[in-house]
């Protein structure tokens, strides 16, 4: 099997699982292969189980299957949790010293998993050790590769002057190098990957390359040819290997974001840290130094309100958070809406409610994003379906915010944030549209024409000319209270209606101006009887599922909604009207389904939802869609795959 | 051409109660801005919600009437986006020391060059007179059914603990003195806090104008009221902490500030309590990180090419991330 | 015209408008009449215009008409704003010294009003003084009654030892006494009303009665018989004269609320202040002293979370707020939902968004109340349609909260809070149902049966037994993180699904258990072709409107939704299925209409909405419904009456 | 039967990093509860979000793991509903002095009888090591890309300014001493605050165990590390403010607390800084208002008649409102 491979590496949090995965992904990427991977981890710093699952292919990859071709485990828990995900013909790398460990004495292993394993092993007449898991793998036709980490480390320790104990953290490099040895990727890619991942730390680069070589050799010598999956470098253009967090950070920079406030929260904070570390850049050609202020605030309400302040001053401003932080900042949304201040909120959804599953995936905040904030004000809510979209949307959000002078909520999610993928991006096509923003000179003109500057002037479009704070020749007022054209408090009932109409009508304007392609994307045949609707990062799994179905002759359409507010209901109606609608969503209640019914009256035929904290796999989506088409699906199916 | 108070007057109806101390604060601020020779467009005033929160509407300057308790983060965001703006934040005591006190404490840690005025009237005025955080324990004002069950915050002490670098107290009816304080505060490089004793004739029938001016304490000789409020300057008090002072000198100053902050009753000091000139501002710290921050601040950077495309060059970062 | 009368009294905020209205209402109430009134005021303490409008009848009253029969004005602004609301045949009481004031020099008068007046007076060839307004009234057949406040006050000042200036604040009593003299209500009711309103202040009682008598005599002597509207006492049982704020406070006390937290906000705070002043009461018969802790917090998040803490400890606990405060507390909703803690939030809607129209009416928070908080958790959302319902609902909210162990949002609004009405309430029928709450003895039993206490035990109903903090023999854990049956953090995907299902299924349970009568109310014929749907305090105006239409032979049904979540969609469907649905709401976007479409697929035929900050009048509702029936109505009509 | 630490151990996996200071705090708390002879059901521990926030899960007692920054209001609500509960609140420094600092300041004004422990590790641990509000200006720890741009809050100074009546600092690795502090804090009638220096070996590579124990400062004679942390008791320091003290004595105490709170570097005091026994608790103030509050507190009142109807008699109020 060449260049089509699902890899998983797992171990305790803090033991370098991510580094393994990064090296793996970089190495594959450098070898011209395409990858897509996801990271799973507990809300914990050290000791709980975490893993990374990656799919490699010669063609671009956009989702995962639930089966794993090679599982590289650092520890016994990884085996206990994942050994049954490995496909027949696949392989398991494990530490032989763990074989006699009892699965009942892994302190971090969840009781539910333990009980499941006990049942299963007892049914097979196996005892409750790790060895039994390996045995079961063998029985299933899985290749098992003991990798004696200690031995190899001892060897390294002999070669270097380092003590064995100092080398323990190198297990991750050994695991990934062994894995790449099994699939026979040339070692040079591993070396380059290590150089890249540890850049700036010469000593670490050297040591890790040394370790990788030894492990690579070890596997070559012991297990060589046995493993059926192979990866081979291929010619390919330059691509980026990006996480969603990084793509959004980059989109913001290119989109002109110059003020990013944040309060730490998973999985949003990495974006801000990334920006903080890259806060200076070139602007307008070689000599101008541009910079972004990354402002760590005392809480999320301070984050949103300081960004709004920056927006008033004329900087493109944003904040990033996830559910709990969004809840803390809600009051600021309404103020920005009321005062027509452009500001962007990137909302990384994660498992809710409350603290919920802080490091797990869900798309449960759609309705909340649409309605957060008391009273009614216009907001634009967009959702990205993949890393590439996330980059362009992150930039475009500022155009919407400034053109329609309001708050833009950019919905992304944990799966997107913590996935990595090889993608191509083109910053040079990103446009900057600042909307109706007057300069000092414009004000001079207004005045010399006998006019007066009014921040909230009634205009036919609902958009009033904006100036930055500090603009000479005028002043304005803002108030969260209902106000008149100047911005002064006003409780008159007629003014109230005019101002409400002015603000709310901007939604209709946005709806009419924004090109359809930015609002929805339709995939597949227009006449398909069954049409999937979804939003956000389910996109890849759905596309792959309907692609496979179509290969089997089953045609299903897919309507991806990117613009959730204002919802392009007419266009949606036209597409869905005479079809069976299948709503696929990462939440309990099928929020998009409800929204579509609300806005179009069209009812959803089938719901496929998932809320176990793990993203959708293409194979479970495939199977549930197939069941719908074949008439064997329940009205609402709950997907449950993932560990 | 020198500006006058009137240049900062916005011609709309002022709906504060007759006799409200807020009028004094407003005049003092307008005079201070004029004295500093600022032009209206250079000034941005951020306020919270409350009677006090309406202040910016009465000033001809950029006036941003924000959320209850939140003028500081809005103000800080604007100032950091454009450090050339003269930024002033205004709160009520409920606004700034109640719901918003977290922003105050954290503003102390940052030392952004913003001036912060708190209208200290002991009540939540605009919601009809509930006890605010500066009302003392056991005090019973008009609108509260039972004597205050909470102890008061001490704004000066709190500011000192929070690391605020300029700490003063004014009195709303000593307008000239308050104007002078505001001028000093605005000139101070860093975060400047002014607690203003502000009689609320409508709801606070304890800390009234008569109370502050001692109308119940007649001088036995002159038969004139002996004011409870006195000026620190009149004691020759020097609030400044300088770089060349010894640790002991600094500590002595801190103790003095605390002693003064605890004075109440018949001796209520107003004036500058503390002025620390040794701390770098947040903007200076940012300049160190970002090089061209002050000369090319976020709000002023040109974002687009003449053709309307992004002018931001991220090629170096992309290089780092490419495979 | 006997005992059917609309009264309005207006003046500057702080000049005693409310006191006037209270005296008026009490006097009428004591005279056996029924009243309903609403209060309008600016977000201001002194000086801006405020007024009170009241309807009196021999039968119970539940809404207002837009026309006024007698306008008693303290000042010129009241005339400028309201003179055109007085019906032909009605009357205006005014201060003759204001006649030569110019309407262009009333500093608080809104420009929009001024401009409208200028146009109008100029069209009639009148100059821009108050006198012209009075003149216009006369031309229209309105009785005009000059009331020389200063003269009367001088007379009082002569009789008492008081200085004139000290008496100035008595204008309000003069105005109301004069008004009651015009309608010839016996002076004894005024005296009793004054005693009641100024109770505990003997001096004030005396003075005000004195003043009232003089004004009463003045009017009797000068204007007697001329006024066609009369009020006459009638025999009637004891009733309460209550505001919505008071009804809710009483409902909470009777419902067992023992901890109420709040942060001051209009129009919610009056409820807490009322409770604080009446925090001790008798319990379980004569001797036991009960009490409620009224806890003023530093912000609304502290309000909700401290109430939740109190709920955990076993007290029935609540907090009251309006939109901005609700936005600050949102994060606490999800935590209570996640940890299944009973807690009640009374949400007084007011004009939004942001600070909005703090003292004005709107029902714009429905969607927000339904979706506030990231992620998905069960919540119960109920809305009261009138003061009587508000009382019982306020009590019932605690039963829901404890039976379904979750957060209950009780939606009310400014119009309800600040209305007053004569009502009958029966506290003795209020039931207390504490749900599955185990005592120390129960725990002993559980343990002696070999069981273990698990706070989040999976049960078929989804309800796990609850204990109060401090209960002997057990402990439990709570966490905003997803947790296991004990309450410990758990990220296992299977546990996650079970816990989500357990929590969310409580909504189905509530839906199946709660009697239909508590969820919806239907008025009118089941076969009516047109059916109004609405929620909240629009109820009275709608009932009156359809009552009048039915008198004209036009039958319209009215479906009042009280239970917004879980929405009884099947029952709603059954009622609305084959009808034309008219959605009547106090918000911009017709939120209930959207909700019904979302949950039933039924589309709304016509929207009648209002968002100018003033509640609906029965006559505008009447007219718009009639237009719908007659086919002349637009798809969406925006109501705009009210000053 | 006397209880032991083990009686307060909940048997679940503890997922703090190896060597985390939180382990010391946990043991000290468990020992303190045992020493106080409390039974698990009498104790309710409220925590916020962070590594520190997980603490209640490891204690066999009612354990309420609340929201980020909000353990105090939850705890206060529970305590006021049932003043018989022994209520303890736990925060991280980000939780309690960052996002939640407003609740801390306002808790000072109330003096509810709750014990509050802050795990002071200088970082936001659970979100991977960003600077927390106690990290000093200019310090660069592992996970932050640039040196800290904010100044630190001083928890002791802040507590004093907020009116907290019991203020102490412990060190996570001096478990016995910390246990003693906790016992005192819990016994204190009123709000008791303990700032615990808590090394975070994973993210704070500046304020490490080695730093606190002075491993870089060997005694020239003994060659043993000279710890930076020292105990106030060893100085014979008396933290107590008593009712019979003069104003001068009280002020001297306050100055001393401030002086001590500013010590850092090579001399870091731990122990009780301040203990004011003269302030009534909030519960006592409530009892004054509500008469039977303490004997018949909100959580314990029987609400229903045997027939299931309301047992609350509001007839007096109805009388007042009837026509
Ligand atoms: C989040 C929120 N909570 C409550 C309110 C209601 N509110 C409006 S004004 C005010 C009191 C203001 O008191 P203070 O800050 O002391 O100002 P003052 O009116 O005394 O000047 C409050 C609580 C609000 N607007 N927003
Ligand atoms: C409202 C909100 N914002 C942000 C977070 C994310 N968050 C989780 S833990 C944490 C940091 C905790 O730091 P600290 O309080 O110092 O505790 P430590 O982990 O260091 O013990 C943050 C910010 C959250 N849970 N809720
Ligand atoms: S209520 Fe008090 S603070 Fe507010 S305007 Fe009136 S006097 Fe001033
Ligand atoms: S990250 Fe730091 S505070 Fe958190 S558990 Fe690890 S060592 Fe402790
Ligand atoms: Mg105030
Ligand atoms: Mg910390």
């Amino acid at each position: 099997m060449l260049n089509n491979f699902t890899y998983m590496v797992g171990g305790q949090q803090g033991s370098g699982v991510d580094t393994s995965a990064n090296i793996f992904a970089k190495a594959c990427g450098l070898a011209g292969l395409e990858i897509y991977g996801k990271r799973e981890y507990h809300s914990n710093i050290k000791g709980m189980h975490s893993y990374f699952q990656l799919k490699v292919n010669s063609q671009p990859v956009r989702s995962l299957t639930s089966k794993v071709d090679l599982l590289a485990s650092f520890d016994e828990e990884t085996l206990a949790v994942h050994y049954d995900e490995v496909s027949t013909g696949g392989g398991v790398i494990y530490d032989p010293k763990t074989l006699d460990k009892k699965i009942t004495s892994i302190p971090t292993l969840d009781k539910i998993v333990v009980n499941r394993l006990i049942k299963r092993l007892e049914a097979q007449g196996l005892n409750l050790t790790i060895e039994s898991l390996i045995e079961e793998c063998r029985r299933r036709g899985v290749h098992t590769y003991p990798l004696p980490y200690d031995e190899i480390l001892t060897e390294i320790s002999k070669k270097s002057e380092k003590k064995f104990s100092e080398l323990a953290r190198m297990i991750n490099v050994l695991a990934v190098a062994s894995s790449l040895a099994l699939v026979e990727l040339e070692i040079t890619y591993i070396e380059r990957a290590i150089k890249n991942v540890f850049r700036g730390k010469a000593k670490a680069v050297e040591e890790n390359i040394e370790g990788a070589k030894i492990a690579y050799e070890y596997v070559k010598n012991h297990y060589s040819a046995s493993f059926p999956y192979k990866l081979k470098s291929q010619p390919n253009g330059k691509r980026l290997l990006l996480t969603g967090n990084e793509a959004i950070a980059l989109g913001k920079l290119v989109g002109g974001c110059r003020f990013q406030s944040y309060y730490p929260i998973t999985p949003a904070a990495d974006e801000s840290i990334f920006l903080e570390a890259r806060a200076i850049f070139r602007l307008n050609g070689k000599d101008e130094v541009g910079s972004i202020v990354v402002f760590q605030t005392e809480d999320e309400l301070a984050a949103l309100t300081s960004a709004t302040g920056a927006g008033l001053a004329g900087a493109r401003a944003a904040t990033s958070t996830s559910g709990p932080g969004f809840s803390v900042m809600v009051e600021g949304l309404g103020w920005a809406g009321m005062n027509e201040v452009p500001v962007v909120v990137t909302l990384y959804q994660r498992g809710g409610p409350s603290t919920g599953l802080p490091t797990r995936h869900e798309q449960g905040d759609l309705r909340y994003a649409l309605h957060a904030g008391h009273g009614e004000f216009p907001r634009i809510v967009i959702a990205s379906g993949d890393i590439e979209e996330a980059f362009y949307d992150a930039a475009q959000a500022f155009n919407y915010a400034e053109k329609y002078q309001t708050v833009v909520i950019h919905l992304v999610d944990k799966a997107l944030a913590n996935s990595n993928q090889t993608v191509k991006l083109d910053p040079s096509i990103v446009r900057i549209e600042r909307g109706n923003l007057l300069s000092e000179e414009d004000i001079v003109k207004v005045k010399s024409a006998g006019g007066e500057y009014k921040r909230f002037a009634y205009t036919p479009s609902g958009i009033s000319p904006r100036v930055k704070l500090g603009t000479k020749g005028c002043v304005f007022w803002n108030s969260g209270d209902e106000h008149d054209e100047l911005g002064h408090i006003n409780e008159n009932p007629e003014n109230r209606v005019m101002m409400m109409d002015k603000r709310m009508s901007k939604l209709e304007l946005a709806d009419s101006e924004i090109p359809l392609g930015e609002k929805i994307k339709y995939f597949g045949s227009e006449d398909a009887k069954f049409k999937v609707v979804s939003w956000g990062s389910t996109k890849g799994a759905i596309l792959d599922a309907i692609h496979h179905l179509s290969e089997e002759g089953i045609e299903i359409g897919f309507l991806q909604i990117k613009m959730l507010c204002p919802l392009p209901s007419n266009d949606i109606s036209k597409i869905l009207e005479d079809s069976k609608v299948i709503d696929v969503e990462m939440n309990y209640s099928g929020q998009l389904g409800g929204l579509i019914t609300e806005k179009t009256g069209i009812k959803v035929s089938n719901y496929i939802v998932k809320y176990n904290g793990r993203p959708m796999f293409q194979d479970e989506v495939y199977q549930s869609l197939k069941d719908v088409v074949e008439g064997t699906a329940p009205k609402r199916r709950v997907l449950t795959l993932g560990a | 051409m020198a500006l006058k108070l009137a240049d900062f007057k916005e011609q709309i109806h002022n709906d504060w109660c007759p006799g409200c101390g807020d009028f004094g604060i407003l005049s003092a601020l307008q005079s201070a801005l004029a004295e500093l020779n600022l032009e209206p467009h250079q000034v941005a005033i951020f306020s919270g919600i409350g009677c006090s929160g309406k202040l910016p509407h009465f000033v001809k300057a950029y006036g941003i009437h924000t959320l209850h308790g939140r003028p500081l983060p809005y103000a800080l965001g604007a100032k950091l986006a454009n450090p050339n703006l003269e930024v002033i934040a205004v709160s009520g005591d409920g606004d700034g020391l109640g719901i918003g006190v977290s922003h105050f404490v954290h503003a102390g840690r940052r030392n952004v060059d913003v001036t912060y005025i708190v209208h200290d009237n002991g009540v939540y005025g605009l919601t009809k007179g509930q006890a605010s955080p500066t009302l003392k324990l056991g005090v019973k004002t008009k609108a509260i059914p039972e004597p205050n069950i909470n102890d008061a915050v001490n704004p000066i002490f709190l500011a000192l603990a929070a690391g605020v670098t300029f700490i003063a107290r004014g009195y709303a009816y000593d307008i000239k003195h308050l104007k002078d304080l505001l001028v000093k505060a605005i000139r101070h490089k860093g975060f400047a806090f002014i607690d203003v004793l502000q009689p609320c004739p409508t709801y606070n029938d304890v800390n009234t104008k008569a109370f502050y001016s001692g109308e119940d304490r007649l001088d036995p000789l002159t038969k004139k009221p002996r004011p409870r409020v006195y000026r620190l300057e009149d004691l020759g008090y020097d609030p400044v902490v300088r770089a060349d002072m010894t640790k002991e000198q600094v500590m002595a100053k801190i103790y003095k500030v605390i002693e003064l902050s605890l004075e109440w009753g018949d001796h209520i000091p107003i004036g500058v309590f503390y002025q620390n000139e040794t701390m770098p501002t947040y903007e200076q710290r940012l300049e160190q990180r970002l090089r061209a921050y002050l000369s090319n601040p976020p709000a002023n950077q040109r974002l687009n090419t003449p053709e309307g495309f992004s002018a931001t060059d991220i090629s170096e970062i992309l290089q780092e991330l490419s495979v």
Side-chain angles (χ1 to χ4, degrees), chain A residues 540-611:
Chain A
I542 294 170
L543 283 176
D544 283 332
I546 62 173
H547 176 74
H548 291 165
L549 286 165
S550 133
E551 287 179 336
E552 296 176 17
I554 302 175
E555 289 300 335
I556 297 188
F558 170 36
L559 175 64
Q560 180 201 357
I561 317 275
K562 292 197 61 187
M563 178 68 66
L564 279 320
C565 184
L567 191 78
S569 10
N570 289 339
D571 302 295
I572 293 174
S573 281
K574 264 184 243 150
I575 294 173
L576 297 183
E577 236 157 25
D578 301 311
S579 337
K580 294 265 175 203
V581 177
I582 310 168
D583 179 48
V584 178
E585 281 187 78
M586 281 295 312
N587 57 51
Y588 181 93
S589 46
Q591 299 182 19
L592 176 67
L595 181 66
I596 289 177
T597 308
E598 177 190 350
K599 299 291 184 185
T600 66
I602 293 171
K603 291 194 180 181
V604 169
S605 308
N606 290 78
Y607 283 94
I608 299 171
V609 295
K610 189 170 185 180
Y611 46 92

Side-chain angles (χ1 to χ4, degrees), chain A residues 41-44 110-113 116 301 323-325 327-328 330-331 334-335 338-339 351-360 362 364-365 367-368 371-377 458 480-482 486 490-498 500-501 503-505 508 587-591 594-595 597-603 611-614 636 638-640 642-643:
Chain A
Y41 52 107
H42 277 76
S43 177
N44 158 265
D110 197 273
K111 271 183 212 153
I112 294 178
V113 178
R116 191 176 55 217
L301 186 46
S327 284
V328 172
V330 166
E331 204 193 359
W335 194 90
M338 186 66 147
N339 287 290
S354 196
T355 309
L357 293 167
T359 58
R360 307 293 178 175
E362 190 167 281
D365 300 343
R367 271 292 181 184
Y368 188 33
H371 303 293
H374 53 283
E376 293 160 296
F377 56 94
Y458 302 126
D481 287 75
E482 190 56 272
L486 290 172
N490 188 296
E491 302 193 17
N492 179 278
E494 288 170 56
N495 176 74
R496 163 66 173 180
V497 172
M498 288 192 289
M500 276 295 279
D501 290 348
R503 285 190 297 268
M504 296 303 281
S505 71
E508 284 148 46
N587 57 51
Y588 181 93
S589 46
Q591 299 182 19
L595 181 66
T597 308
E598 177 190 350
K599 299 291 184 185
T600 66
I602 293 171
K603 291 194 180 181
Y611 46 92
N612 70 348
R614 315 307 191 259
R636 172 176 180 265
V638 180
L639 306 184
T640 54

Side-chain angles (χ1 to χ4, degrees), chain A residues 239 254 258 278 298 468 471, chain B residues 62 110 299 310 312 320 323:
Chain A
R239 287 141 305 131
V254 175
R258 291 300 174 262
R278 291 160 186 83
E298 54 274 29
K468 299 178 182 183
T471 301
Chain B
Y62 286 100
R110 299 200 181 103
S310 173
T312 309
E320 164 199 337
V323 287

